[in-house]
Structures are given as structure tokens and as C-alpha cells.
Amino acid sequence: MAVSTAAQEVGLKRGEFAIAVHLGLIRLMVPRDGGRPMVGRDEIERLRSQDGFPEALRERVRTVGTAEGARRLGISPDRFTRFARAGCLTPITFYLNRYRAIVWLYLADELTGFAAREPQLLTGRSPGWLRDRLEGGADCRAGNWRSRRVERLLSLTEDPWARVAVLADTLDPVQLAEVVDDPYERAYVARLRPEPAFGPTGPVWARETMAHLMRADEPDELLWRRVNLIMELDNAREVRPAPRPGGDRRAIPSPGSERAPAPDPRGDADADADARSRSRSRSGPESDLVPGVPSSVPPSPCPGPGPVHAPTGAAEPVVGLLARIGLRRRTSRETNRRQSPPRRATFGE
């Protein structure tokens, strides 16, 4: 059945149903042809057979804002906001009020768990690390929400190009073009970008806000996302090439095909030539994606976005990866600087 129908069947609002899908409480069936996701009737029966349905399910996806969340924790709204800005609390979703300001929402169950784990933070003076983080201007709400969403979307797919599409959403178009330099690959990734369960709903400015929040905005997170994207992209290229208009589509077998067609020697020769050309371009001195990236990334004021995702297949050697994010070029510049006499640094070095 359609997603909207399934939401009515289990007694959830659209926003609650989307959160349930995001948390993995409800499984969707995504057609292979890229159509709208559906919900199987057996999934509806599974939910109905659970104890406490539908109140238990509704309670697991219940969200609260700052005021109600502060009341649940027994603290002031200002202190609740400080906890959220410092990264102690992670939003699950958001909405835009009439002034188009972002209003973050939090899972009620997670707030209860936070109060049980960290009772010492709810009373007395805030610890020094929290004060230092806030005095440094940290606001981890968007970054934590983004990391949570990316982790969940990656866990929902094994397709290498779909994983690339998830990570591509975390970079702006300029940075994405630096990492995915092939325009046909970027077009393919754009078609595979995940959509909300109910599709692109809401006004245009609301969808633009969602796209803006999905993009990394801190230097450490930008470097992290680029490294993850490079690894997933290399794996996707090894599994299968992105389709090209007028190209050899036999490299991508259809889901219902029983056997692969015979290889084309001319296509293999063209692919070998393209691979040699790409290898020369990567090994040259100009193959840097993030010029001037420090060899040791300083700690971020917010909790880190998590470990680098290991791709589903083999990735390129670590040395090649470092060269592609700019570390090799910086190392060579530092070596030359040590061998040359001291001089006044110019702007941009």
C-alpha cells in the first residue's frame, strides 16, 4: 500500500510515520525502477501484533521541543538549549515556524535516557568542558542531526552508487564537482539521491532549508565527508560504471537479465585507455582536492561525525587517498620549505 495509506493504518501522523521509518521501526519496499516506496501488508500486520499497539509505537516516535523537553528534564529552557548546542542532545527532526526559523525537535525517549545517564549535568554548575565548548561558539545541533541522518540512510542500502548519493548530499555543488569530476557520474548520483518517505512535500523554501542543513559546514566535517565520499566513489566505480548517454549500457545488466552479453573488445580498449588517463591524472602533482589540509586534524568543538565508513568493496591504497585530499602535496611543500632558507611568508601560504 502507499505510504500515506500505511500511516493511517497504524494511526500515525505523517511526521511520526517518517520518524518511524528513519528509526527503522517501519520497513519500506523501494521498487527497483526508482518509483515511490510502498509498505507491505505483512509489515502492517507485524506492527499491529506488537504489544501495546498503537500507543507504544506512538510513544517511541513522540517528539518534544525545547520547552517541553526542559520540563521533562527538570531544567530551564536556556540550560536545555546549552546542552543541545554543546552536543549532549541530538535532534531527530525540525520544522520551520512562521518566521522561517528552525525549530529543533527531540525524541522524548532519548531525553529520558539522557536524564538517567547524566544526572550530574542536570544540577549544579556546568562542567568546564561544556562551558569552554559554548564559549567557543559551538552549535552542534545541525551537525549531529546531519550525522544521524547520514548514518541511517547509509544503513538502508547496499548499492554502492546509492551510498555515494547519500554522501554527495553533504557537500555543496562546488566541492562535489571537485570530488566527483565526471559530469555523467554527478548526474547519475543526482538521480539516486534519497527522498523523504512522502516525497518532496512542502514549499520550495522549506526543501531548500533541508538541502542546506544536509551540507557540512565545519572544516573538520568537510574533510571527513570528502574522505568518505572518495572511498565510496572508488568502490562504486569498481563495482559498475555510471551509465552514459549513447555509451555501452551492457556494462550495467538489467535486474531481470539471466546472463551477461559477450564483452566488446573495442569497449574494453576504450575503458583501458580511460583508466590509464585517469591514473596519470591522479598521480600527477596537481591531483589535490583540498589544498592545504593539515596533516593532523584538530579536534572539533562538537563530537566527531563518526568513523570513516568502510566501503562495501575494496578501496584504493591509503597513499592514493591522501594524495587526493591534498595531504601529499602539503608534505612535499613542507619538505621543500625545510630545505630552502627562511623567508617571509606571503598571503595564502
Side-chain angles (χ1 to χ4, degrees):
M1 63 182 67
V3 175
S4 57
T5 305
Q8 297 175 0
E9 291 287 335
V10 296
L12 295 180
K13 300 177 181 178
R14 293 170 66 95
E16 294 173 338
F17 189 90
I19 293 175
V21 172
H22 175 72
L23 295 176
L25 304 178
I26 300 177
R27 296 186 295 265
L28 298 183
M29 301 168 55
V30 181
R32 289 187 175 183
D33 57 359
R36 288 289 180 89
M38 308 289 285
V39 180
R41 295 192 176 276
D42 56 343
E43 180 69 5
I44 301 298
E45 296 301 325
R46 183 186 68 84
L47 295 172
R48 287 177 172 173
S49 63
Q50 295 178 350
D51 295 337
F53 176 86
E55 288 78 11
L57 177 61
R58 192 177 297 117
E59 186 62 25
R60 295 181 68 179
V61 298
R62 182 182 178 188
T63 58
V64 297
T66 299
E68 186 176 351
R71 286 196 298 269
R72 278 177 167 260
L73 297 181
I75 58 178
S76 65
D78 180 68
R79 188 160 192 161
F80 184 95
T81 302
R82 288 168 60 87
F83 285 157
R85 291 174 63 91
C88 301
L89 305 173
T90 300
I92 184 65
T93 186
F94 69 93
Y95 70 91
L96 301 180
N97 61 15
R98 59 179 178 176
Y99 304 107
R100 298 189 181 182
I102 297 174
V103 179
W104 295 105
L105 299 176
Y106 306 83
L107 280 176
D109 275 353
E110 291 187 354
L111 297 184
T112 303
F114 172 75
R117 291 191 313 269
E118 307 289 346
Q120 69 280 2
L121 290 179
L122 304 180
T123 59
R125 184 176 175 85
S126 299
W129 62 265
L130 192 146
R131 295 196 304 269
D132 294 342
R133 186 173 291 178
L134 294 175
E135 289 173 359
D139 189 350
C140 303
R141 290 174 293 184
N144 285 351
W145 170 83
R146 181 167 48 248
S147 295
R148 182 179 206 165
R149 181 174 175 82
V150 169
E151 291 288 342
R152 180 57 190 167
L153 291 175
L154 288 176
S155 68
L156 292 176
T157 181
E158 293 293 334
D159 181 76
W161 283 104
R163 296 173 64 86
V164 171
V166 171
L167 295 172
D169 270 350
T170 62
L171 299 180
D172 60 55
V174 175
Q175 297 224 21
L176 179 60
E178 292 176 354
V179 179
V180 188
D181 53 359
D182 190 326
Y184 295 111
E185 290 180 342
R186 291 200 302 273
Y188 184 46
V189 167
R191 295 201 304 269
L192 296 178
R193 283 177 177 171
E195 290 187 357
F198 291 92
T201 59
V204 176
W205 50 268
R207 297 197 296 269
E208 291 175 351
T209 301
M210 168 71 81
H212 176 74
L213 287 175
M214 276 298 296
R215 293 171 185 169
D217 54 3
E218 293 292 336
D220 292 348
E221 186 184 0
L222 282 170
L223 176 61
W224 211 279
R225 298 304 180 192
R226 290 176 71 124
V227 170
N228 278 270
L229 180 56
I230 288 171
M231 296 176 65
E232 292 289 352
L233 179 62
D234 289 343
N235 177 63
R237 287 169 173 169
E238 291 181 1
V239 173
R240 70 174 188 270
R244 296 172 179 270
D248 187 3
R249 299 182 179 273
R250 289 172 297 178
I252 309 177
S254 60
S257 60
E258 298 181 357
R259 61 179 182 178
D264 187 353
R266 293 175 298 176
D268 293 341
D270 294 341
D272 293 341
D274 181 68
R276 289 194 299 270
S277 175
R278 182 172 298 172
S279 175
R280 288 195 299 270
S281 64
R282 289 182 182 176
S283 61
E286 299 181 358
S287 61
D288 60 319
L289 295 178
V290 188
V293 173
S295 56
S296 60
V297 180
S300 171
C302 297
V308 176
H309 301 288
T312 54
E316 69 171 12
V318 177
V319 175
L321 175 63
L322 296 179
R324 294 174 65 185
I325 61 175
L327 297 183
R328 177 185 290 176
R329 187 175 184 183
R330 177 180 174 84
T331 303
S332 62
R333 287 202 304 266
E334 291 179 349
T335 303
N336 296 333
R337 188 179 296 116
R338 287 195 297 267
Q339 296 175 354
S340 60
R343 62 183 179 86
R344 186 183 300 274
T346 58
F347 178 78
E349 293 185 338

